[in-house]
Amino acid sequence: MFEKGFFGGLFDFDRDGKLDFFEKAADTAAFLQFMDEAEEDESDDSDF
C-alpha cells in the first residue's frame, strides 16, 4: 500500500525506487511528527 512511503518517495534519497531501512525510518518519523503537530493544533482549537 505505502511502497513509496507516506510521502510518495520523498525520502528515497538514493532514487532507487525503494525505501531502505533508514529511508523508511525518516519517512515514518516525519509522518509521526506531522500527526503529533496536527493533534496539537486540533486540541488548541478545542480550547475555545
Side-chain angles (χ1 to χ4, degrees):
M1 181 174 181
F2 291 106
E3 292 175 11
K4 293 190 176 199
F6 295 109
F7 297 100
L10 179 68
F11 292 97
D12 185 13
F13 301 125
D14 57 4
R15 305 272 188 229
D16 66 351
K18 302 175 194 169
L19 297 180
D20 63 22
F21 175 77
F22 295 107
E23 294 166 342
K24 285 180 186 177
D27 183 70
T28 302
F31 177 75
L32 292 174
Q33 181 68 30
F34 177 76
M35 294 305 294
D36 285 344
E37 290 176 6
E39 189 174 293
E40 288 175 11
D41 289 345
E42 193 173 289
S43 68
D44 289 344
D45 291 343
S46 65
D47 289 342
F48 295 107

